[in-house]
């Protein structure tokens, strides 16, 4: 599961649709409708919000907005609470980490999309503050460095 802190407009078509599906799954987890993925580390930052379901709903609305701007239509009726939510914080270290991850994916999958991805821009839900890669990301960093990928 990858719930990007980056603006969904930076994603290619497969990334955008995967982001939508994974955020819908995250919404189901946060709303208590599924038993899978309940311990996924990327859900931590949403659980820390006063209203986690509203936070993921605002995230999904931002993904749907980016999809519509590119001529796609995602079913907004699937968003439990699409209204506004308090902005969340993402660190510049986390944004840079995801930026490298996304650029590598785009280079392999859709290199032509790289010309639209010139710099890291956060999802509209996030405010950027100085700081390191997020704690919830660190288990994935340790696994990828052990595996050599």
């Amino acid at each position: 599961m990858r719930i990007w802190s980056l603006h969904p407009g930076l994603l290619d078509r497969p990334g955008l649709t995967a982001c939508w599906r994974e955020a819908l799954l995250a919404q189901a987890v946060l709303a208590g409708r599924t038993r899978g993925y309940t311990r996924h580390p990327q859900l931590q930052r949403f659980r820390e919000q006063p209203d986690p379901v509203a936070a993921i709903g605002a995230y999904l609305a931002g993904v749907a907005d980016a999809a519509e701007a590119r001529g796609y239509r995602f079913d907004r009726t699937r968003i439990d609470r699409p209204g506004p939510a308090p902005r969340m914080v993402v660190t510049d270290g986390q944004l840079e980490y995801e930026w490298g991850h996304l650029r590598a994916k785009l280079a392999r999958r859709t290199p032509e999309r790289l010309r639209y991805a010139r710099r890291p821009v956060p999802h509209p839900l996030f405010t950027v503050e100085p700081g390191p890669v997020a704690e919830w990301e660190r288990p994935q960093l340790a696994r990828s460095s052990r595996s050599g990928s």
Side-chain angles (χ1 to χ4, degrees):
M1 181 185 295
R2 170 61 59 187
I3 301 173
W4 297 96
S5 305
L6 294 166
H7 194 288
L10 296 171
L11 303 173
D12 59 357
R13 185 191 51 76
L16 188 61
T17 56
C19 183
W20 174 254
R21 282 191 324 269
E22 290 164 7
L24 285 172
L25 172 59
Q27 176 180 252
V29 172
L30 294 168
R33 291 194 302 267
T34 185
R35 296 170 78 150
Y37 293 96
T38 59
R39 295 179 187 231
H40 197 283
Q42 287 201 24
L43 296 179
Q44 177 182 333
R45 62 182 166 171
F46 289 94
R47 283 194 175 106
E48 292 170 352
Q49 300 308 303
D51 186 343
V53 176
I56 197 67
Y59 181 89
L60 281 159
V63 174
D65 291 345
E68 285 177 11
R70 289 173 45 196
Y72 305 124
R73 286 201 310 219
F74 290 174
D75 182 4
R76 288 179 183 265
T77 65
R78 298 184 68 191
I79 304 173
D80 290 351
R81 285 192 228 149
R87 290 184 58 121
M88 295 170 55
V89 171
V90 64
T91 63
D92 55 0
Q94 179 64 29
L95 210 58
E96 286 295 331
Y97 171 75
E98 291 184 24
W99 180 239
H101 187 56
L102 176 60
R103 289 183 56 79
K105 280 185 174 287
L106 293 176
R108 282 190 317 273
R109 200 166 57 202
T110 51
E112 67 279 3
R113 188 78 192 155
L114 281 171
R115 71 178 167 213
Y116 297 104
R118 301 222 183 264
R119 63 183 176 85
V121 176
H123 182 289
L125 180 61
F126 296 104
T127 299
V128 181
E129 291 184 359
V133 174
E135 286 291 324
W136 50 261
E137 191 79 76
R138 294 208 170 128
Q140 283 86 345
L141 285 172
R143 278 197 302 275
S144 67
S145 66
R146 281 196 308 266
S147 66
S149 54

PDB file of all heavy atoms in Angstrom, residues 24-46:
ATOM      1  N   LEU A  24      -8.964   3.971  -0.884  1.00  0.00           N
ATOM      2  CA  LEU A  24     -10.287   3.411  -0.543  1.00  0.00           C
ATOM      3  C   LEU A  24     -10.150   2.261   0.446  1.00  0.00           C
ATOM      4  O   LEU A  24     -10.961   2.131   1.375  1.00  0.00           O
ATOM      5  CB  LEU A  24     -11.011   2.942  -1.807  1.00  0.00           C
ATOM      6  CG  LEU A  24     -11.598   4.027  -2.699  1.00  0.00           C
ATOM      7  CD1 LEU A  24     -12.108   3.417  -4.005  1.00  0.00           C
ATOM      8  CD2 LEU A  24     -12.706   4.803  -1.990  1.00  0.00           C
ATOM      9  N   LEU A  25      -9.130   1.442   0.256  1.00  0.00           N
ATOM     10  CA  LEU A  25      -8.872   0.364   1.221  1.00  0.00           C
ATOM     11  C   LEU A  25      -8.529   0.957   2.589  1.00  0.00           C
ATOM     12  O   LEU A  25      -9.035   0.498   3.615  1.00  0.00           O
ATOM     13  CB  LEU A  25      -7.741  -0.542   0.723  1.00  0.00           C
ATOM     14  CG  LEU A  25      -7.244  -1.599   1.703  1.00  0.00           C
ATOM     15  CD1 LEU A  25      -8.365  -2.549   2.121  1.00  0.00           C
ATOM     16  CD2 LEU A  25      -6.085  -2.373   1.090  1.00  0.00           C
ATOM     17  N   ALA A  26      -7.699   1.986   2.603  1.00  0.00           N
ATOM     18  CA  ALA A  26      -7.343   2.642   3.866  1.00  0.00           C
ATOM     19  C   ALA A  26      -8.599   3.201   4.546  1.00  0.00           C
ATOM     20  O   ALA A  26      -8.757   3.084   5.762  1.00  0.00           O
ATOM     21  CB  ALA A  26      -6.332   3.757   3.615  1.00  0.00           C
ATOM     22  N   GLN A  27      -9.501   3.768   3.760  1.00  0.00           N
ATOM     23  CA  GLN A  27     -10.755   4.284   4.307  1.00  0.00           C
ATOM     24  C   GLN A  27     -11.556   3.160   4.968  1.00  0.00           C
ATOM     25  O   GLN A  27     -12.090   3.323   6.070  1.00  0.00           O
ATOM     26  CB  GLN A  27     -11.580   4.937   3.195  1.00  0.00           C
ATOM     27  CG  GLN A  27     -12.932   5.420   3.634  1.00  0.00           C
ATOM     28  CD  GLN A  27     -13.695   6.043   2.484  1.00  0.00           C
ATOM     29  OE1 GLN A  27     -13.852   7.250   2.454  1.00  0.00           O
ATOM     30  NE2 GLN A  27     -14.165   5.241   1.535  1.00  0.00           N
ATOM     31  N   ALA A  28     -11.640   2.008   4.304  1.00  0.00           N
ATOM     32  CA  ALA A  28     -12.369   0.867   4.863  1.00  0.00           C
ATOM     33  C   ALA A  28     -11.732   0.406   6.174  1.00  0.00           C
ATOM     34  O   ALA A  28     -12.433   0.082   7.131  1.00  0.00           O
ATOM     35  CB  ALA A  28     -12.419  -0.276   3.857  1.00  0.00           C
ATOM     36  N   VAL A  29     -10.402   0.409   6.218  1.00  0.00           N
ATOM     37  CA  VAL A  29      -9.706   0.018   7.450  1.00  0.00           C
ATOM     38  C   VAL A  29     -10.014   1.020   8.554  1.00  0.00           C
ATOM     39  O   VAL A  29     -10.397   0.638   9.670  1.00  0.00           O
ATOM     40  CB  VAL A  29      -8.181  -0.083   7.213  1.00  0.00           C
ATOM     41  CG1 VAL A  29      -7.436  -0.285   8.527  1.00  0.00           C
ATOM     42  CG2 VAL A  29      -7.854  -1.212   6.239  1.00  0.00           C
ATOM     43  N   LEU A  30      -9.857   2.299   8.257  1.00  0.00           N
ATOM     44  CA  LEU A  30     -10.069   3.336   9.271  1.00  0.00           C
ATOM     45  C   LEU A  30     -11.519   3.395   9.745  1.00  0.00           C
ATOM     46  O   LEU A  30     -11.791   3.750  10.888  1.00  0.00           O
ATOM     47  CB  LEU A  30      -9.630   4.698   8.727  1.00  0.00           C
ATOM     48  CG  LEU A  30      -8.125   4.828   8.465  1.00  0.00           C
ATOM     49  CD1 LEU A  30      -7.824   6.087   7.662  1.00  0.00           C
ATOM     50  CD2 LEU A  30      -7.342   4.804   9.769  1.00  0.00           C
ATOM     51  N   ALA A  31     -12.452   3.023   8.871  1.00  0.00           N
ATOM     52  CA  ALA A  31     -13.877   3.014   9.241  1.00  0.00           C
ATOM     53  C   ALA A  31     -14.287   1.707   9.917  1.00  0.00           C
ATOM     54  O   ALA A  31     -15.436   1.547  10.314  1.00  0.00           O
ATOM     55  CB  ALA A  31     -14.732   3.252   7.998  1.00  0.00           C
ATOM     56  N   GLY A  32     -13.355   0.749  10.011  1.00  0.00           N
ATOM     57  CA  GLY A  32     -13.652  -0.520  10.679  1.00  0.00           C
ATOM     58  C   GLY A  32     -14.436  -1.504   9.838  1.00  0.00           C
ATOM     59  O   GLY A  32     -15.065  -2.413  10.382  1.00  0.00           O
ATOM     60  N   ARG A  33     -14.385  -1.371   8.510  1.00  0.00           N
ATOM     61  CA  ARG A  33     -15.148  -2.265   7.633  1.00  0.00           C
ATOM     62  C   ARG A  33     -14.359  -3.465   7.129  1.00  0.00           C
ATOM     63  O   ARG A  33     -14.919  -4.295   6.422  1.00  0.00           O
ATOM     64  CB  ARG A  33     -15.689  -1.486   6.431  1.00  0.00           C
ATOM     65  CG  ARG A  33     -16.767  -0.506   6.790  1.00  0.00           C
ATOM     66  CD  ARG A  33     -17.496  -0.004   5.570  1.00  0.00           C
ATOM     67  NE  ARG A  33     -16.628   0.624   4.595  1.00  0.00           N
ATOM     68  CZ  ARG A  33     -16.363   1.922   4.538  1.00  0.00           C
ATOM     69  NH1 ARG A  33     -16.909   2.737   5.411  1.00  0.00           N
ATOM     70  NH2 ARG A  33     -15.576   2.405   3.605  1.00  0.00           N
ATOM     71  N   THR A  34     -13.096  -3.543   7.456  1.00  0.00           N
ATOM     72  CA  THR A  34     -12.292  -4.683   7.017  1.00  0.00           C
ATOM     73  C   THR A  34     -11.277  -5.027   8.093  1.00  0.00           C
ATOM     74  O   THR A  34     -10.903  -4.179   8.897  1.00  0.00           O
ATOM     75  CB  THR A  34     -11.583  -4.397   5.670  1.00  0.00           C
ATOM     76  OG1 THR A  34     -10.904  -5.575   5.239  1.00  0.00           O
ATOM     77  CG2 THR A  34     -10.595  -3.254   5.783  1.00  0.00           C
ATOM     78  N   ARG A  35     -10.846  -6.269   8.079  1.00  0.00           N
ATOM     79  CA  ARG A  35      -9.900  -6.718   9.092  1.00  0.00           C
ATOM     80  C   ARG A  35      -8.478  -6.770   8.548  1.00  0.00           C
ATOM     81  O   ARG A  35      -7.529  -6.914   9.291  1.00  0.00           O
ATOM     82  CB  ARG A  35     -10.327  -8.077   9.613  1.00  0.00           C
ATOM     83  CG  ARG A  35     -11.670  -7.980  10.318  1.00  0.00           C
ATOM     84  CD  ARG A  35     -12.219  -9.312  10.620  1.00  0.00           C
ATOM     85  NE  ARG A  35     -11.549  -9.880  11.784  1.00  0.00           N
ATOM     86  CZ  ARG A  35     -12.112 -10.713  12.614  1.00  0.00           C
ATOM     87  NH1 ARG A  35     -13.343 -11.084  12.408  1.00  0.00           N
ATOM     88  NH2 ARG A  35     -11.455 -11.194  13.625  1.00  0.00           N
ATOM     89  N   GLY A  36      -8.327  -6.644   7.230  1.00  0.00           N
ATOM     90  CA  GLY A  36      -7.003  -6.659   6.626  1.00  0.00           C
ATOM     91  C   GLY A  36      -6.329  -5.301   6.725  1.00  0.00           C
ATOM     92  O   GLY A  36      -6.982  -4.276   6.856  1.00  0.00           O
ATOM     93  N   TYR A  37      -5.034  -5.293   6.679  1.00  0.00           N
ATOM     94  CA  TYR A  37      -4.202  -4.083   6.639  1.00  0.00           C
ATOM     95  C   TYR A  37      -4.354  -3.181   7.853  1.00  0.00           C
ATOM     96  O   TYR A  37      -3.966  -2.021   7.805  1.00  0.00           O
ATOM     97  CB  TYR A  37      -4.465  -3.272   5.362  1.00  0.00           C
ATOM     98  CG  TYR A  37      -4.015  -3.970   4.115  1.00  0.00           C
ATOM     99  CD1 TYR A  37      -4.911  -4.708   3.352  1.00  0.00           C
ATOM    100  CD2 TYR A  37      -2.688  -3.903   3.696  1.00  0.00           C
ATOM    101  CE1 TYR A  37      -4.511  -5.360   2.206  1.00  0.00           C
ATOM    102  CE2 TYR A  37      -2.272  -4.553   2.551  1.00  0.00           C
ATOM    103  CZ  TYR A  37      -3.182  -5.282   1.806  1.00  0.00           C
ATOM    104  OH  TYR A  37      -2.777  -5.928   0.681  1.00  0.00           O
ATOM    105  N   THR A  38      -4.910  -3.668   8.941  1.00  0.00           N
ATOM    106  CA  THR A  38      -5.156  -2.806  10.091  1.00  0.00           C
ATOM    107  C   THR A  38      -3.875  -2.293  10.729  1.00  0.00           C
ATOM    108  O   THR A  38      -3.889  -1.263  11.388  1.00  0.00           O
ATOM    109  CB  THR A  38      -5.999  -3.533  11.164  1.00  0.00           C
ATOM    110  OG1 THR A  38      -5.300  -4.700  11.565  1.00  0.00           O
ATOM    111  CG2 THR A  38      -7.381  -3.876  10.623  1.00  0.00           C
ATOM    112  N   ARG A  39      -2.779  -2.984  10.526  1.00  0.00           N
ATOM    113  CA  ARG A  39      -1.511  -2.554  11.128  1.00  0.00           C
ATOM    114  C   ARG A  39      -0.564  -1.929  10.119  1.00  0.00           C
ATOM    115  O   ARG A  39       0.617  -1.787  10.387  1.00  0.00           O
ATOM    116  CB  ARG A  39      -0.830  -3.734  11.812  1.00  0.00           C
ATOM    117  CG  ARG A  39      -1.628  -4.249  12.976  1.00  0.00           C
ATOM    118  CD  ARG A  39      -0.949  -5.414  13.613  1.00  0.00           C
ATOM    119  NE  ARG A  39      -1.829  -5.975  14.616  1.00  0.00           N
ATOM    120  CZ  ARG A  39      -1.455  -6.225  15.846  1.00  0.00           C
ATOM    121  NH1 ARG A  39      -0.231  -6.005  16.218  1.00  0.00           N
ATOM    122  NH2 ARG A  39      -2.311  -6.725  16.695  1.00  0.00           N
ATOM    123  N   HIS A  40      -1.076  -1.585   8.956  1.00  0.00           N
ATOM    124  CA  HIS A  40      -0.202  -1.020   7.932  1.00  0.00           C
ATOM    125  C   HIS A  40       0.364   0.309   8.422  1.00  0.00           C
ATOM    126  O   HIS A  40      -0.371   1.186   8.865  1.00  0.00           O
ATOM    127  CB  HIS A  40      -0.960  -0.817   6.619  1.00  0.00           C
ATOM    128  CG  HIS A  40      -0.034  -0.646   5.471  1.00  0.00           C
ATOM    129  ND1 HIS A  40       0.631   0.524   5.236  1.00  0.00           N
ATOM    130  CD2 HIS A  40       0.374  -1.512   4.522  1.00  0.00           C
ATOM    131  CE1 HIS A  40       1.393   0.390   4.182  1.00  0.00           C
ATOM    132  NE2 HIS A  40       1.258  -0.851   3.726  1.00  0.00           N
ATOM    133  N   PRO A  41       1.694   0.484   8.346  1.00  0.00           N
ATOM    134  CA  PRO A  41       2.317   1.682   8.912  1.00  0.00           C
ATOM    135  C   PRO A  41       1.855   2.998   8.280  1.00  0.00           C
ATOM    136  O   PRO A  41       1.837   4.029   8.954  1.00  0.00           O
ATOM    137  CB  PRO A  41       3.815   1.469   8.689  1.00  0.00           C
ATOM    138  CG  PRO A  41       3.970   0.244   7.880  1.00  0.00           C
ATOM    139  CD  PRO A  41       2.658  -0.470   7.825  1.00  0.00           C
ATOM    140  N   GLN A  42       1.458   2.998   7.017  1.00  0.00           N
ATOM    141  CA  GLN A  42       1.052   4.258   6.399  1.00  0.00           C
ATOM    142  C   GLN A  42      -0.269   4.790   6.956  1.00  0.00           C
ATOM    143  O   GLN A  42      -0.596   5.954   6.750  1.00  0.00           O
ATOM    144  CB  GLN A  42       0.958   4.099   4.885  1.00  0.00           C
ATOM    145  CG  GLN A  42       2.325   4.007   4.266  1.00  0.00           C
ATOM    146  CD  GLN A  42       2.303   4.352   2.802  1.00  0.00           C
ATOM    147  OE1 GLN A  42       1.433   5.059   2.326  1.00  0.00           O
ATOM    148  NE2 GLN A  42       3.273   3.848   2.094  1.00  0.00           N
ATOM    149  N   LEU A  43      -1.009   3.957   7.655  1.00  0.00           N
ATOM    150  CA  LEU A  43      -2.269   4.417   8.250  1.00  0.00           C
ATOM    151  C   LEU A  43      -2.036   5.207   9.536  1.00  0.00           C
ATOM    152  O   LEU A  43      -2.929   5.912  10.001  1.00  0.00           O
ATOM    153  CB  LEU A  43      -3.187   3.234   8.524  1.00  0.00           C
ATOM    154  CG  LEU A  43      -3.647   2.474   7.281  1.00  0.00           C
ATOM    155  CD1 LEU A  43      -4.527   1.304   7.679  1.00  0.00           C
ATOM    156  CD2 LEU A  43      -4.361   3.389   6.315  1.00  0.00           C
ATOM    157  N   GLN A  44      -0.837   5.101  10.101  1.00  0.00           N
ATOM    158  CA  GLN A  44      -0.530   5.759  11.367  1.00  0.00           C
ATOM    159  C   GLN A  44      -0.826   7.253  11.328  1.00  0.00           C
ATOM    160  O   GLN A  44      -1.469   7.795  12.222  1.00  0.00           O
ATOM    161  CB  GLN A  44       0.936   5.534  11.732  1.00  0.00           C
ATOM    162  CG  GLN A  44       1.369   6.242  12.989  1.00  0.00           C
ATOM    163  CD  GLN A  44       2.840   6.029  13.281  1.00  0.00           C
ATOM    164  OE1 GLN A  44       3.418   5.018  12.895  1.00  0.00           O
ATOM    165  NE2 GLN A  44       3.441   6.976  13.954  1.00  0.00           N
ATOM    166  N   ARG A  45      -0.395   7.929  10.278  1.00  0.00           N
ATOM    167  CA  ARG A  45      -0.583   9.386  10.229  1.00  0.00           C
ATOM    168  C   ARG A  45      -2.058   9.774  10.128  1.00  0.00           C
ATOM    169  O   ARG A  45      -2.452  10.835  10.602  1.00  0.00           O
ATOM    170  CB  ARG A  45       0.231  10.002   9.104  1.00  0.00           C
ATOM    171  CG  ARG A  45      -0.135   9.530   7.716  1.00  0.00           C
ATOM    172  CD  ARG A  45       0.787  10.179   6.721  1.00  0.00           C
ATOM    173  NE  ARG A  45       0.720   9.527   5.429  1.00  0.00           N
ATOM    174  CZ  ARG A  45       1.287  10.010   4.355  1.00  0.00           C
ATOM    175  NH1 ARG A  45       1.960  11.134   4.419  1.00  0.00           N
ATOM    176  NH2 ARG A  45       1.198   9.372   3.218  1.00  0.00           N
ATOM    177  N   PHE A  46      -2.879   8.909   9.541  1.00  0.00           N
ATOM    178  CA  PHE A  46      -4.316   9.201   9.494  1.00  0.00           C
ATOM    179  C   PHE A  46      -4.959   8.911  10.851  1.00  0.00           C
ATOM    180  O   PHE A  46      -5.832   9.651  11.289  1.00  0.00           O
ATOM    181  CB  PHE A  46      -4.993   8.407   8.378  1.00  0.00           C
ATOM    182  CG  PHE A  46      -4.624   8.924   7.016  1.00  0.00           C
ATOM    183  CD1 PHE A  46      -3.576   8.356   6.305  1.00  0.00           C
ATOM    184  CD2 PHE A  46      -5.303   9.990   6.457  1.00  0.00           C
ATOM    185  CE1 PHE A  46      -3.216   8.837   5.058  1.00  0.00           C
ATOM    186  CE2 PHE A  46      -4.953  10.486   5.211  1.00  0.00           C
ATOM    187  CZ  PHE A  46      -3.904   9.913   4.516  1.00  0.00           C
TER     188      PHE A  46
END
